Amino acid sequence: MWTLVVNCGSSSLKFALLNSATGETPLSGLAERLGSDLASVRVDRENERVTVPLPRGSYPEAFGVLLAELDALGLRRDVRAVGHRVVHGGDRFNTPVLITPEVVEVIRACIPLAPLHNPANLAGIEAARAAFPDLPQVAVFDTAFHQSMPPVAYRYAVPTDWYTHYGVRRYGFHGISHEYVAGEAARRLGRDPSGLNLVTAHLGNGCSVAAVQGGRSIDTSMGLTPLEGLVMGTRSGDVDPGLPDYLAREAGLSLPGITAALYRESGLLGLSGLTNDMRELEEAARQGNENARLAVDIFVYRLAKAIAGMATVLGTLDALVFTGGIGENSATVRAATLARLGLLGFRLDEAANAQAVRGQGGVITSGGVPALVVNTNEELMIARETAWVVAGGA
Ligand code: AMP
């Protein structure tokens, strides 16, 4: 079944046309700088890449280019559904759902929990509906996979009233990726997912780890917002909850200013003062830059602690899975992380680790608990989930 997968950010629209059974992707692309007069869309066809300017810089205009591309491929009439990545579904959705007016209202009600993402997802849904009025539209939530977490994992030790009235709890994100790589890892290990205890580490610009038991998430490092947990590209991860008050008093910073800095000026960027890009940091560290070295060291140190915590939650560990831009490509981060996790019984295979870059996944340990690299494919996961909903769901 041909499915159009749509992932809208605040100024971007990522799309892909996929066969949900085979993963075949004859068309994909990325519209960027939407909302400005510099907007353009990059279209990846099977063997070529073109960039088309978008003078109006709008979502409908980007969808217009997409329609023209589908027509050029002669596939417009074969598309059966549109699958949308939606970041926050609160505690209402533990599976993907057909988008109805009620579902739109719940996504809208979740805007305070994801103020940057959910409005963009809604704009994408609206534009896709206008472009494809006859197709079913499906929402696949980044939070849904973690809805299986038990209260012991998702509650914060704060006044209960904050939970019951304001939904203050841990939700977790990157669920689409964690679920996909957990399934792939089971397949590669030749094991039934229902009997596996996995820690999955999604390490991209955003980073999170999850404890996956029998194919279900039982804990994850991100919480109410995607700020909690690991050190990320520009996000701080865990800090003392007393920090905002302290900085407001001592530095005269506003609460929104502090939050913005925790999202955009912290993490690898804040520590290094150089960049949020792990590749560049590794290079700078090799050349002797001490701040870059410290940034990478803290990233790895906190990651190893989080993985050990997730292993504790699982009780026993069958495998560790690395994914995301850093997890899939940085042999250095993987080796340094496993070196800190001797307690869990990993034995790094240096040659296999060095080879597992640029799309070459695989097991990177020899003996002991396996660690593997699995390339994530959120688009394929969304296409599969969309096909499942269109076929009638559970
Ligand atoms: P993502 O958000 O999944 O695209 O991941 C982005 C992150 O992956 C950035 O920090 C990149 O620097 C990092 N990354 C991509 N390729 C490499 C590489 N070869 N070595 C180290 N980090 C990489």
Side-chain angles (χ1 to χ4, degrees):
M1 176 182 128
W2 290 107
T3 301
L4 192 60
V5 171
V6 172
N7 182 354
C8 282
S10 49
S11 62
S12 67
L13 186 168
K14 214 171 149 188
F15 60 85
L17 176 71
L18 281 105
N19 181 316
S20 55
T22 63
E24 196 187 338
T25 310
L27 179 70
S28 61
L30 175 67
E32 287 183 290
R33 300 192 183 138
L34 293 172
S36 83
D37 49 12
L38 294 172
S40 64
V41 54
R42 189 196 77 212
V43 179
D44 287 309
R45 302 175 187 142
E46 222 136 13
N47 291 314
E48 75 182 317
R49 168 175 285 193
V50 292
T51 301
V52 183
L54 299 171
R56 289 194 299 282
S58 67
Y59 286 106
E61 197 183 14
F63 271 104
V65 171
L66 178 50
L67 283 170
E69 290 291 329
L70 289 173
D71 283 338
L73 283 172
L75 283 174
R76 191 202 291 211
R77 271 187 293 160
D78 295 324
V79 180
R80 290 284 168 270
V82 183
H84 295 265
R85 172 173 183 246
V86 179
V87 165
H88 218 307
D91 59 7
R92 282 288 302 279
F93 301 111
N94 58 9
T95 60
V97 290
L98 196 65
I99 299 176
T100 61
E102 294 74 40
V103 169
V104 166
E105 279 321 302
V106 178
I107 297 171
R108 208 184 302 284
C110 290
I111 287 176
L113 290 166
L116 298 179
H117 292 99
N118 274 27
N121 299 153
L122 284 169
I125 290 169
E126 202 172 301
R129 265 204 187 137
F132 303 93
D134 302 326
L135 291 184
Q137 313 267 333
V138 172
V140 183
F141 298 94
D142 223 14
T143 47
F145 182 56
H146 301 300
Q147 277 297 302
S148 45
M149 287 194 291
V152 73
Y154 74 67
R155 286 289 298 276
Y156 290 113
V158 297
T160 299
D161 178 55
W162 295 3
Y163 167 61
T164 47
H165 283 91
Y166 303 106
V168 172
R169 52 158 284 177
R170 309 183 62 255
Y171 293 95
F173 300 87
H174 292 145
I176 298 165
S177 177
H178 286 294
E179 184 172 9
Y180 176 81
V181 299
E184 267 301 291
R187 200 177 61 76
R188 301 230 184 138
L189 293 168
R191 301 273 304 271
D192 184 346
S194 66
L196 272 187
N197 279 346
L198 301 173
V199 174
T200 49
H202 178 103
L203 311 173
N205 224 340
C207 299
S208 66
V209 287
V212 183
Q213 187 158 64
R216 291 157 60 85
S217 170
I218 60 166
D219 203 352
T220 191
S221 57
M222 282 179 169
L224 175 73
T225 70
L227 198 51
E228 188 178 337
L230 303 177
V231 172
M232 311 184 207
T234 62
R235 283 174 252 168
S236 62
D238 292 341
V239 292
D240 186 326
L243 177 147
D245 178 65
Y246 173 79
L247 274 181
R249 280 188 285 111
E250 293 301 311
L253 297 177
S254 71
L255 203 49
I258 296 167
T259 304
L262 291 173
Y263 269 98
R264 290 199 281 271
E265 296 163 23
S266 300
L268 294 172
L269 173 65
L271 282 165
S272 68
L274 283 176
T275 172
N276 62 331
D277 190 304
M278 182 58 89
R279 219 169 345 190
E280 291 174 19
L281 283 177
E282 286 178 1
E283 185 50 36
R286 266 193 292 275
Q287 307 207 343
N289 184 306
E290 283 307 314
N291 290 339
R293 168 156 309 287
L294 183 65
V296 178
D297 283 351
I298 294 175
F299 180 91
V300 166
Y301 177 87
R302 299 253 299 254
L303 171 62
K305 276 201 333 186
I307 291 169
M310 291 297 158
T312 304
V313 160
L314 290 164
T316 59
L317 184 63
D318 293 307
L320 167 65
V321 186
F322 288 102
T323 193
I326 296 172
E328 291 167 24
N329 295 298
S330 175
T332 314
V333 165
R334 293 191 304 251
T337 306
L338 293 188
R340 285 195 171 275
L341 288 169
L343 187 69
L344 296 179
F346 296 108
R347 286 208 289 280
L348 181 71
D349 177 336
E350 279 181 31
N353 186 41
Q355 262 170 17
V357 288
R358 284 183 286 281
Q360 297 295 309
V363 175
I364 58 166
T365 44
S366 55
V369 175
L372 353 48
V373 177
V374 175
N375 297 328
T376 195
N377 191 340
E378 290 168 283
E379 284 76 23
L380 179 56
M381 191 72 206
I382 293 170
R384 285 182 188 160
E385 303 260 59
T386 301
W388 177 79
V389 170
V390 169

